[in-house]
Amino acid sequence: MEHGKEVSSGKRFEFGANWALFLRELNEDRIGMAENSLKQMLNVESLSGKTFLDMGSGSGLFSLAARRLGAKVYSFDFDPESVACTKQLRERFYANESQWIVEEGSVLDENYLRSLGQFDVVYSWGVLHHTGKMWQALENACAMVSTGGQLFISIYNDQGVKTPRWIMVKRAYNFLPKGMRWLVWLPTLIKLWWKTIILDFIRGRPFHSWTHYSKAGARGMSAFRDLIDWVGGLPFEVAKPEEIYDFYFKRGFWLERMVTCGGGIGCNEYVFSKKSF
């Protein structure tokens, strides 16, 4: 299998294995935050009557959130373990129903995508930059959105000269045996978090930002799982906000909403709508 070969060669991070550990932390509060994130970014209170495509479903959390908001959901992922995570959530919350389909598939497989049709909402958060062919993946996502529909994506921010350094970190993490990968993630944790941790102590709230990370990000995520995703996440590509805007504007999309990471580390989020002519 292509996925397994890429993982064993150190070219691809095991996203699904990380998501499986995240699901151990999943609770009603985190699910509620995921729902609120969708409502806020899409500017809706409900997705009732809508079709929702989760391209690269990962843990399945946002597929679950969309289903709970009333959408008919179709989820797929390239990583077999991510597919298993999504199926686990479906069986836990929506067993034996036909309004949530989960499959293994690739955003780079155009024949597979054509077989799915189009959707009112196409969602792909933090996925397309991990395909190894980001611009092709961005192109393929266009065709999945129905006229008047919405495309909600997030793409890693281009940090200029810092980006190649992070690629080296990611390669080192995936090259090391699992028992030695702390040699990469621990220094990264210190680098990214030391100022915040010191400020929390000064404010008399030790480790508050770390333990309340899911609320601060408003997406129900886990600080440690996101850290591991960051240091290990290969393949890895980036883009500037203006590049993403221009790419989709030329293809008939309007930008409805954008939330950036302020030029630093992390993802810029975009919601586009597909124009009708």
Side-chain angles (χ1 to χ4, degrees):
M1 179 183 290
E2 183 181 354
H3 177 272
K5 290 180 181 178
E6 291 181 1
V7 169
S8 61
S9 67
K11 296 179 180 179
R12 179 173 293 275
F13 174 63
E14 293 181 275
F15 293 98
N18 196 44
W19 286 127
L21 293 171
F22 166 72
L23 289 186
R24 298 179 184 179
E25 306 176 38
L26 187 63
N27 55 32
E28 192 63 33
D29 285 344
R30 292 180 187 272
I31 298 170
M33 283 183 268
E35 290 181 40
N36 289 333
S37 171
L38 286 180
K39 290 194 290 186
Q40 180 180 5
M41 289 298 294
L42 297 174
N43 193 28
V44 297
E45 284 301 317
S46 168
L47 291 174
S48 181
K50 301 280 189 179
T51 52
F52 183 97
L53 176 64
D54 193 351
M55 302 177 70
S57 56
S59 68
L61 173 58
F62 281 82
S63 290
L64 172 61
R67 184 69 195 96
R68 285 176 46 142
L69 289 173
K72 182 177 181 179
V73 177
Y74 202 108
S75 313
F76 73 83
D77 203 293
F78 181 62
D79 186 320
E81 288 192 75
S82 291
V83 175
C85 287
T86 305
K87 286 183 176 180
Q88 178 184 332
L89 284 191
R90 184 189 61 184
E91 293 307 306
R92 177 177 167 188
F93 291 95
Y94 288 95
N96 303 316
E97 70 140 82
S98 61
Q99 299 301 299
W100 183 0
I101 297 172
V102 183
E103 288 186 345
E104 185 174 332
S106 170
V107 69
L108 299 178
D109 186 341
E110 295 182 43
N111 289 331
Y112 172 69
L113 296 180
R114 277 194 292 269
S115 73
L116 304 181
Q118 293 185 318
F119 295 79
D120 299 312
V121 180
V122 175
Y123 176 85
S124 194
W125 209 103
V127 173
L128 305 181
H129 50 231
H130 288 313
T131 60
K133 296 180 179 179
M134 182 182 73
W135 293 105
Q136 184 60 54
L138 290 165
E139 180 75 56
N140 290 353
C142 294
M144 307 308 296
V145 187
S146 62
T147 301
Q150 293 174 293
L151 173 66
F152 180 5
I153 61 173
S154 76
I155 299 295
Y156 274 135
N157 184 54
D158 186 343
Q159 298 180 69
V161 296
K162 294 181 180 180
T163 294
R165 299 174 193 166
W166 282 117
I167 293 175
M168 292 175 63
V169 169
K170 294 167 186 289
R171 287 175 177 167
Y173 179 91
N174 286 283
F175 175 79
L176 287 170
K178 291 184 179 180
M180 297 182 66
R181 287 177 176 174
W182 64 270
L183 292 170
V184 176
W185 68 253
L186 182 57
T188 304
L189 186 155
I190 294 170
K191 175 180 176 59
L192 297 178
W193 278 88
W194 73 271
K195 291 181 181 178
T196 301
I197 290 173
I198 289 175
L199 283 173
D200 281 351
F201 271 93
I202 292 173
R203 293 165 180 161
R205 301 187 301 175
F207 301 106
H208 181 272
S209 297
W210 180 268
T211 57
H212 290 74
Y213 178 86
S214 61
K215 296 179 181 179
R219 299 186 67 250
M221 294 291 102
S222 158
F224 186 69
R225 289 298 132 206
D226 274 7
L227 173 75
I228 298 302
D229 182 281
W230 171 250
V231 297
L234 284 180
F236 174 74
E237 293 179 77
V238 299
K240 297 176 181 178
E242 57 268 29
E243 291 177 317
I244 298 296
Y245 171 80
D246 288 344
F247 182 89
Y248 279 111
F249 181 77
K250 291 174 182 177
R251 288 159 176 78
F253 287 78
W254 291 109
L255 180 64
E256 290 187 356
R257 184 176 177 84
M258 178 171 68
V259 178
T260 74
C261 58
I265 189 173
C267 289
N268 300 315
E269 301 178 74
Y270 312 85
V271 176
F272 292 95
S273 59
K274 190 172 186 178
K275 292 183 284 188
S276 56
F277 296 94

